[in-house]
Amino acid sequence: MATTSAVRAQGLFRAYDDFVAVNGIDFDIQVGECFGFLGPNGAGKTTTMRMIYRTSPVGGGTLEIFGRDASGQGADRDLKAMMGVVPQLDNLDQEMTVTENLTVFARFYGMSKKDRQTRVEEMIEFADLVDKRDSLVETLSGGMKRRLMIARGLLGDPKLVILDEPTTGLDPRARQRIWEKLSELRKRNATLILTTHYMEEAERLCDRIAIMDAGEIVALGSPRDLIQAHVSKHVVDIRLGFDGDAKALKPLYGDAKRVEELQDRVLLYVDDAESLIARVAHEFPELDALVRQATLDDVFLKITGRGLDG
Amino acid sequence: MRLPGDIDLGAATSVWWRNVTVYKHTWVKNILPNFFEPLLYLIGMGIGLGYYVGAGIESSDYLAYIGPGLMAAAAMNGAVFEVTYNMFVKMYFARLYDAYVCTPAQIQDVAFGELMWAVTRSLIYGFGCFVVLVGLTFYGYPIITSWTAVFLPVVVIMIGCLFGLIGQLFTASIKTIDLYSYFYTLFVTPLFLFSGIFFPTSRFPYGDEIAWFTPLYHGVRIARAFASGNITTEMWVSCAWIVVVCAVLFALVPRRLKKRTF
Ligand SMILES: Nc1ncnc2c1ncn2[C@@H]1O[C@H](COP(=O)(O)OP(=O)(O)OP(=O)(O)O)[C@@H](O)[C@H]1O
Ligand SMILES: [Mg+2]
């Protein structure tokens, strides 16, 4: 067996002038896997994606895609023919209609006219834009544009799908639809790489996740492994109210494995929530406290030192 | 199919097709100016001013003198606009080229597709002018006086290529859209005035010598030769000049663009 790697990077590096955006990261994404990159704004996710989808040169280290060297630009055409790309920023053609956008882009994949027509119809259906097929892109809502971007990215029936924040700005129904489509692609053994700021999305879709911060991968593993390795099983989440002061809660901190003080809340990470919650109810009856399972949000908070909303 | 410089013709055609698609939305509104502009110049300069240039120039009627040159200028204008403002907007504001290079297309295919479109615009403009010239010839003004005029579309394509590439090189080299005002006022307008369209370049000291190094001069020379059937060695030199300069630019443009889009 030669390799089952879809994308393998070793010491992958990229700097913009003096600024290091990706600082020598290693990862090995398997064929058929869904791999997620998470991390705060500016962590280097998009830069990494762009190196994988061949529109940003590799600054250093090695990058292999389906076993072929991708640190130079020699194999770009062949590699890109296997990829479907949904960039983070909207770059639809505003001067054309929905159908025209898809038809023009389908030409780039060298399909016959008949295949092109069927494929475009399929993707219009998938993007739920049948009513808008003849509307100019500039007249679409933000979410519709996002859906069209995803449809455009999938035109070439890709083996490797790279999505940079695919569902940002989508309503729950559209997001659900995208998730279903991505699961369908995976059933056909496509490899998926995505970035997202939605932890539930990552938890739901990704087999493995790399959390990036300041150009480095600071944690890598399955969502469950990450939760186990970095936070306790349960979280006691205490709301402080308007004039709440975390200081009063200090006596409780000894019972927790880790404490996170947020603006209006205190999070106490514990393995045994029962006794702590009883203690809160007894000593601070005026405060709202609830117990929940630890999630990726908590991992993210711990590792990157900041919440997504804070 | 691959062209020299690793250009994929299929991908380039897709880029060209995009422009055709957008043009189809508005062509009905846009096609008429292609006829009015040359007509107005020919009436205003050729018939109006020409009246006072009774002797004509180089033993030809003034209108017949400027006609072929105006067609060369139309070809230049058709190409230049596509590869200046339009290309800048597509590249930087709409980020369209980023979208293209996420497909199997490479930047050199995109550049070639845009060049094909610039030449198409040259042909549309040039054709408008050609129709007016033929009309005036039938009306009695001796502008097109030889069967060699059937080669004028080739001249238009050559001029379209040349100016398409010049504009692309400029677009690939600038960082702000404001710089185009220099391109137009210090390059395009002087070319229009001093390339021998309205009067011989020898009017000014060293005029011929300087003009020889500028692009439109050669286009005008070839257009005039084919319109009148006066095929000279100088005309073939001008053809060679355009081909050589195009070849050099053809190698430079994708390299420049690659630097800008990465
Ligand atoms: N073209 C560029 N020129 C200079 N610096 C850049 C460029 N693109 C990105 N950067 C810098 O590189 C760093 C990483 O950017 P990148 O877009 O990869 O982040 P990201 O993880 O995708 O962030 P986000 O979640 O906001 O999309 C940032 O500090 C950014 O300012
Ligand atoms: Mg990003």
Side-chain angles (χ1 to χ4, degrees):
Chain A
M1 258 212 68
T3 172
T4 51
S5 283
V7 181
R8 181 161 60 189
Q10 266 170 345
L12 188 63
F13 179 91
R14 176 76 162 98
Y16 298 102
D17 299 323
D18 290 339
F19 179 79
V20 176
V22 173
N23 195 8
I25 59 175
D26 302 334
F27 55 85
D28 189 353
I29 301 169
Q30 303 299 302
V31 171
E33 190 178 26
C34 178
F35 194 91
F37 284 95
L38 309 186
N41 295 137
K45 305 181 295 295
T46 296
T47 305
T48 306
M49 300 297 236
R50 291 189 33 158
M51 286 191 277
I52 300 172
Y53 65 72
R54 320 303 302 130
T55 69
S56 190
V58 170
T62 60
L63 179 66
E64 263 176 37
I65 301 174
F66 293 121
R68 298 175 68 165
D69 176 42
S71 39
Q73 286 154 26
D76 279 3
R77 277 187 208 274
D78 296 347
L79 291 176
K80 288 196 295 183
M82 296 187 274
M83 291 183 196
V85 179
V86 181
Q88 181 176 2
L89 293 174
D90 166 18
N91 55 19
L92 292 165
D93 199 322
Q94 307 288 325
E95 294 178 73
M96 296 199 292
T97 65
V98 168
T99 314
E100 287 169 345
N101 258 279
L102 294 175
T103 312
V104 164
F105 274 80
R107 296 183 78 103
F108 282 108
Y109 294 93
M111 292 179 226
S112 73
K113 189 166 182 202
K114 215 170 131 233
D115 289 352
R116 225 154 49 210
Q117 277 166 348
T118 355
R119 191 74 185 142
V120 167
E121 281 312 308
E122 248 174 71
M123 295 325 289
I124 291 177
E125 292 262 329
F126 156 65
D128 205 2
L129 289 171
V130 178
D131 296 342
K132 295 280 181 182
R133 56 186 311 145
D134 294 320
S135 306
L136 282 178
V137 166
E138 58 183 10
T139 67
L140 300 184
S141 78
M144 292 175 187
K145 286 184 192 169
R146 203 68 204 141
R147 269 145 46 191
L148 183 56
M149 286 278 287
I150 297 174
R152 190 185 70 183
L154 299 178
L155 275 173
D157 198 14
K159 274 168 70 181
L160 173 63
V161 185
I162 303 173
L163 309 110
D164 201 349
E165 298 192 26
T167 62
T168 298
L170 291 185
D171 67 36
R173 196 175 80 103
R175 181 169 301 156
Q176 191 68 38
R177 223 186 153 83
I178 304 300
W179 289 350
E180 281 161 19
K181 182 73 185 179
L182 296 181
S183 308
E184 196 184 299
L185 283 169
R186 289 202 54 198
K187 286 204 192 94
R188 289 194 274 145
N189 211 29
T191 308
L192 263 55
I193 306 177
L194 56 89
T195 72
T196 179
H197 288 300
Y198 302 111
M199 297 301 131
E200 41 91 52
E201 177 166 279
E203 224 166 323
R204 179 168 163 165
L205 292 176
C206 298
D207 302 306
R208 283 189 306 151
I209 287 166
I211 298 183
M212 289 187 75
D213 196 11
E216 322 231 352
I217 292 181
V218 286
L220 197 157
S222 71
R224 186 186 302 204
D225 289 347
L226 287 176
I227 294 168
Q228 255 166 19
H230 294 277
V231 289
S232 58
K233 230 170 151 188
H234 295 110
V235 187
V236 176
D237 183 336
I238 307 175
R239 274 180 196 282
L240 293 169
F242 290 118
D243 50 356
D245 187 356
K247 274 197 200 96
L249 294 173
K250 282 258 156 68
L252 298 175
Y253 289 5
D255 290 6
K257 283 168 83 178
R258 213 170 66 79
V259 180
E260 195 78 53
E261 287 181 353
L262 305 179
Q263 206 137 70
D264 58 339
R265 298 182 293 171
V266 171
L267 303 179
L268 300 167
Y269 293 85
V270 289
D271 284 326
D272 172 24
E274 298 283 312
S275 62
L276 183 63
I277 202 90
R279 209 180 141 191
V280 175
H282 181 70
E283 289 175 35
F284 304 94
E286 72 284 7
L287 292 179
D288 266 347
L290 58 87
V291 184
R292 58 172 176 80
Q293 298 253 306
T295 65
L296 268 187
D297 268 302
D298 301 299
V299 178
F300 192 93
L301 205 59
K302 178 187 169 198
I303 290 179
T304 66
R306 71 207 100 161
L308 283 173
D309 48 11
Chain B
M1 195 179 113
R2 290 295 158 80
L3 302 178
D6 189 29
I7 290 164
D8 185 280
L9 195 58
T13 310
S14 307
V15 173
W16 178 80
W17 186 252
R18 178 269 171 200
N19 292 309
V20 174
T21 307
V22 173
Y23 191 67
K24 280 200 283 192
H25 292 173
T26 56
W27 74 273
V28 182
K29 277 174 268 170
N30 285 338
I31 201 88
L32 273 182
N34 296 327
F35 296 95
F36 283 135
E37 205 182 294
L39 192 63
L40 288 173
Y41 268 107
L42 285 162
I43 292 174
M45 307 288 288
I47 302 178
L49 182 63
Y51 178 80
Y52 301 97
V53 194
I57 293 180
E58 289 172 359
S59 74
S60 97
D61 184 76
Y62 190 61
L63 182 67
Y65 181 77
I66 66 171
L70 283 175
M71 201 183 83
M76 167 180 81
N77 289 328
V80 155
F81 193 73
E82 285 303 323
V83 289
T84 50
Y85 288 105
N86 280 358
M87 181 165 160
F88 195 93
V89 168
K90 284 186 246 183
M91 199 160 141
Y92 295 111
F93 298 151
R95 289 187 293 271
L96 276 187
Y97 294 2
D98 291 344
Y100 296 150
V101 296
C102 286
T103 73
Q106 298 283 73
I107 193 68
Q108 64 269 27
D109 312 336
V110 178
F112 192 71
E114 294 285 24
L115 183 65
M116 282 162 59
W117 175 243
V119 171
T120 306
R121 287 306 299 261
S122 286
L123 281 167
I124 296 172
Y125 266 61
F127 179 75
C129 191
F130 184 71
V131 167
V132 172
L133 293 182
V134 170
L136 285 169
T137 306
F138 277 109
Y139 193 74
Y141 294 99
I143 305 173
I144 289 173
T145 53
S146 167
W147 66 270
T148 50
V150 298
F151 293 111
L152 285 174
V154 181
V155 184
V156 168
I157 292 174
M158 286 169 74
I159 297 172
C161 261
L162 179 61
F163 281 93
L165 287 164
I166 292 173
Q168 286 189 335
L169 188 69
F170 189 78
T171 299
S173 310
I174 59 172
K175 291 203 166 80
T176 71
I177 199 163
D178 309 312
L179 292 173
Y180 285 122
S181 41
Y182 290 96
F183 185 78
Y184 279 93
T185 51
L186 295 181
F187 183 67
V188 175
T189 305
L191 288 184
F192 183 58
L193 290 174
F194 302 110
S195 291
I197 298 175
F198 301 107
F199 54 84
T201 45
S202 54
R203 170 69 185 84
F204 293 107
Y206 301 106
D208 284 342
E209 286 79 0
I210 296 169
W212 198 88
F213 289 97
T214 63
L216 188 57
Y217 170 76
H218 296 282
V220 172
R221 272 218 305 205
I222 305 170
R224 191 168 283 144
F226 279 128
S228 66
N230 184 21
I231 310 295
T232 59
T233 321
E234 280 95 61
M235 187 207 82
W236 293 115
V237 171
S238 286
C239 287
W241 192 99
I242 292 182
V243 170
V244 169
V245 173
C246 278
V248 172
L249 291 171
F250 192 75
L252 279 178
V253 166
R255 250 180 264 173
R256 267 285 154 111
L257 270 181
K258 193 162 257 172
K259 273 200 199 127
R260 294 314 307 277
T261 44
F262 264 156

